[in-house]
Structure formats: C-alpha cells, structure tokens
Amino acid sequence: MTPSPPARRVEVAVDRPANGGEAVGRADGRVLFVRGAIPGERVIAEITDDRHDSYWRAEAVEILDPSPYRIPVACPAAAGGAGCCDLGHIEPGHARDLKQAVLLDVLSRVGHLDEATIADTDLATRGVDRLPGTDTGWRIRTRLAVDGRGRAGQRAFRGSAVIHDVCVQPAAGMVDDLAGRRFTPHAELAVVLDADGTRHITELAPIAEVRHGDPRRRAQQNRRRRSRPRAQVVVEGAEFAVHRVGGRSWNIPVTGFWQAHRAAPQTYADTVVGFVGEHLDSGPRVAWDLYGGAGVFAGALLDTYDTGLDEVHIVDSDAGALAAASETFADDGDRVVTHRGEVAVRIHALGEAPDIVVLDPPRTGAGERVVDAITAARPAVVVHVGCDAARFARDLGLFVRSGYRVAQVRGFDAFPLTHHVEAVACLVPA
C-alpha cells in the first residue's frame, strides 16, 4: 500500500476574520482561510483543502506570534477535535469584535449598503451585543451523536468520530450524567432543558452515513440525511418540552426547532417589537410572521398591540411548529392564521396587505422571490432576523434594490465561543 504524501505546511500571517470563523491570509499567491488562527497572528498552517485555484483552506498547527486575545481552549470537547466551540481559543469579548467585523464587511461587500447607512447602525456604533447570561452554559437544546458502543458525545469537526470530552455550551443538568449511560449505537439524541428545568431526551434512529469522499461534501450530505424524518423513541422526559416567552407558553416537540440560547427568544422578540414601535406611524391591522415556526414573534406583536391588530399570519413548513402555534393561540380566536408550506409559495395567498412583516428564514436566507413578494405588498415596517451573515446581507441588498432602506441593524452573540452570529435589521420604505 502506497503511503499518503506528507501534509503540506506553510507559514502565514493572517490579518482579518472570515465569515466561517477562519482567519484570512495569503500564501503562494492564494488566499488562505486558516481555522484556529486569530487575525494578527503568524502561524504554521497545514493545508486541508487545495482544490481551488484562488483559495485554500488550512488548519493552524503551530502559533509563531500569538495574539494577545488567544486563551487556552475553553471547551474540552473542542480541544479534543469536536466541531462545537470553534472560537473557544479566543477571548469572548474579542470574538464579538471579530463577529462585528464580519457583519460590517458583508453588509458592504455582499449587501452593497452604503457607508453612511452602515455607520449609523447600532451594529457599527456599539458592536455585537452579548445576550443575558454567561459565555458558557447557555445552550438549552442540543443534538448528540452516539458511537458504535452506545456512548453519546459531540461530533468531530467534519468527521464521523464521536468526541466524549465535555462541551461547555449546554446548561447545567443537560448532559452531566450521560457519559455513564448507553444508547442505541449510531443513533442521535435530541436533548432539551425546558422552561421548568426538566430534561427531555428523544433518541432518533441511526442513518446510513456517507463515509467516503470530500470531507466537506460528506458532512453536508450527512446533515441532510439526519434532517429527514426518522423513527423516534422518548428515553427521558416527554415528547414535548414547554418554553415560555413573555406571558405565553409553547409546547414544542423535543426534536423540533427552538432557539438554542436560553435568552434568545425573549431578546429577539423584544428587538422586533422595539423596531416596530420606533418606525410604525399608526396602529397595525395585519402582520405577517414568515418562517414563523411556533409564532414567538406573532405572540410578541399580539401582546404589544392588544387592540387593533386584527390578523397575524404565520407561515412555516414545519407541521409540528404550526400545531404548537395553534395550541398557544387557541384563545386568540381568528386573529392568528397559520399556513403550512414554503414561504415563497404561500406568501401570495395571505390576503390583505400587511402593515408589518417579520421574517426569520433559515441559513439559506429569504432570497429574491420572497423579498420581491414582501416589497410588492408595501408593508410599513419589515424586520429581518438572520442567522447567516452573508445571506442576511444579500437579502438586505435585495430589499434596498426594491425600494426599502435599512433603518437599523443589531448583532447578537447568540452562540458564544462559536463563529455564528445573529443579526436583526429593520427596513422601511425609502
């Protein structure tokens, strides 16, 4: 058997953050995205992906000139190779500064927003906001992999291995005693800590994982396979977990979507309501909550505009989330209408034009079809919640092209110790 050639290593100085959490430098005339490096450092980087002519990807294997913001890796699981806390080697306050820089960059480079608009935003003037709580122990919802021996743990970064070192993201009581338990080999666990502090664990049946080919593509294929419906077994707690925002409660399937950070739903709801209140000249009659899930934003708007807001339309493709919404809003009568399906399709049948539109799309963003449909309805206020910086910026650019202006943007560190960042923008007719 022919041995594999030795991995190529280069010395590189990195000078700015990239959207995916890497730091950017140049080597051999190419852009180099270096995982594990901090802008301002000089490192030895091992090339992990050289398939592209214009850029390569690499991993920092030796730090020659360390950043003053470098700290010992805060997460044992990440130190052991898991893909959880990819910025765990950076002082958290500085990590928020890097996330601010990434957001400002994509607003200009991808969204093509002008400098004056960007400079006037809260994002530019005060940075990325830290959510209430600490930078560890914030997560109340997680997925764990199970290895061939039935032991639960974190998935390795772009790999199929299961890392059994402890991640620092989960809240106290979520995963503390799972190391001694055994589950179905190669299954997956959905673990949720509800609003009452009760833990719920649902086991999802194993999938046939793709184990060969390009690591990045393999990881994407396996994520898609894990997102498909699978047999489920409740192994602790119940099938549903209770969550609360404001004065309302939602019963959400343990395997369903809810914000991972315990403070995120209330923070985002308050931000949405605040933006609407600042920019709406008169009381609203109709609101659209697009990609609305169980209707957290719908609930916040209904409770803020207790009279006058006649209709809130929630559109989502998740039947479980809409069932939870119907249960929560049962006492609101016909003020709340749910629509199951893709937003790009269902948006054209929502009836009366809205005064308010809130959209919280997945990482793929809303896209041109949805943005065009929203702007054609001419709402007085649009609030866009984005979890992917580049696609969020792209969507804002589409709104501007269609006759809206960006009135405000805020960033939230809803995923401490990771490169992920949440952004919320308010748009009004230009």
Side-chain angles (χ1 to χ4, degrees), residues 217-269:
R217 184 172 300 171
R218 187 173 67 230
Q220 292 171 344
Q221 290 173 326
N222 286 330
R223 279 196 297 271
R224 285 196 293 269
R225 292 187 178 198
R226 286 192 289 270
S227 68
R228 296 169 184 165
R230 287 183 275 166
Q232 302 177 11
V233 177
V234 176
V235 297
E236 183 177 316
E239 183 181 356
F240 296 86
V242 63
H243 299 284
R244 298 189 182 93
V245 182
R248 294 181 183 264
S249 299
W250 282 263
N251 290 310
I252 304 294
V254 170
T255 55
F257 176 78
W258 190 259
Q259 295 290 345
H261 196 297
R262 66 165 77 242
Q266 189 67 64
T267 299
Y268 300 161

Side-chain angles (χ1 to χ4, degrees), residues 131-376:
L131 268 62
T134 62
D135 295 315
T136 60
W138 48 267
R139 180 178 284 278
I140 59 168
R141 183 179 68 90
T142 194
R143 290 284 182 103
L144 300 176
V146 180
D147 68 12
R149 297 173 60 186
R151 300 174 302 169
Q154 298 287 329
R155 293 189 183 279
F157 175 68
R158 288 192 189 136
S160 59
V162 178
I163 308 301
H164 299 291
D165 300 295
V166 175
C167 177
V168 297
Q169 294 179 15
M174 272 191 72
V175 299
D176 302 4
D177 62 342
L178 296 187
R181 296 176 62 172
R182 293 295 177 267
F183 303 92
T184 301
H186 305 298
E188 189 176 23
L189 303 180
V191 186
V192 171
L193 197 68
D194 71 14
D196 296 324
T198 300
R199 182 174 70 181
H200 307 271
I201 304 176
T202 293
E203 184 182 88
L204 294 92
I207 65 168
E209 289 199 348
V210 178
R211 299 187 179 275
H212 303 286
D214 171 66
R216 180 184 290 269
R217 184 172 300 171
R218 187 173 67 230
Q220 292 171 344
Q221 290 173 326
N222 286 330
R223 279 196 297 271
R224 285 196 293 269
R225 292 187 178 198
R226 286 192 289 270
S227 68
R228 296 169 184 165
R230 287 183 275 166
Q232 302 177 11
V233 177
V234 176
V235 297
E236 183 177 316
E239 183 181 356
F240 296 86
V242 63
H243 299 284
R244 298 189 182 93
V245 182
R248 294 181 183 264
S249 299
W250 282 263
N251 290 310
I252 304 294
V254 170
T255 55
F257 176 78
W258 190 259
Q259 295 290 345
H261 196 297
R262 66 165 77 242
Q266 189 67 64
T267 299
Y268 300 161
D270 291 344
T271 302
V272 167
V273 167
F275 279 170
V276 170
E278 290 171 19
H279 297 281
L280 193 66
D281 294 331
S282 59
R285 288 193 60 254
V286 179
W288 293 353
D289 186 1
L290 307 180
Y291 312 93
V296 169
F297 299 137
L301 291 172
L302 286 167
D303 293 340
T304 301
Y305 300 99
D306 188 42
T307 58
L309 184 55
D310 296 332
E311 296 179 15
V312 180
H313 295 266
I314 303 173
V315 185
D316 203 277
S317 59
D318 185 339
L322 293 179
S326 295
E327 179 184 354
T328 294
F329 298 114
D331 293 337
D332 292 281
D334 57 4
R335 296 178 71 199
V336 177
V337 184
T338 61
H339 307 263
R340 184 185 177 191
E342 297 300 325
V343 170
V345 175
R346 299 305 302 269
I347 194 171
H348 299 288
L350 297 185
E352 186 175 349
D355 304 289
I356 304 165
V357 173
V358 182
L359 64 156
D360 184 7
R363 295 195 184 282
T364 52
E368 189 170 8
R369 287 178 63 194
V370 172
V371 171
D372 285 350
I374 293 171
T375 55

Side-chain angles (χ1 to χ4, degrees), residues 14 23 36-43 62-72 89-91 94-95 98:
V14 292
I38 305 173
E41 292 185 329
R42 187 168 59 92
V43 305
E62 183 181 349
I63 311 301
L64 302 177
D65 293 326
S67 165
Y69 300 104
R70 179 171 287 276
I71 61 174
H89 58 289
I90 306 176
E91 189 277 320
H94 186 60
L98 296 177

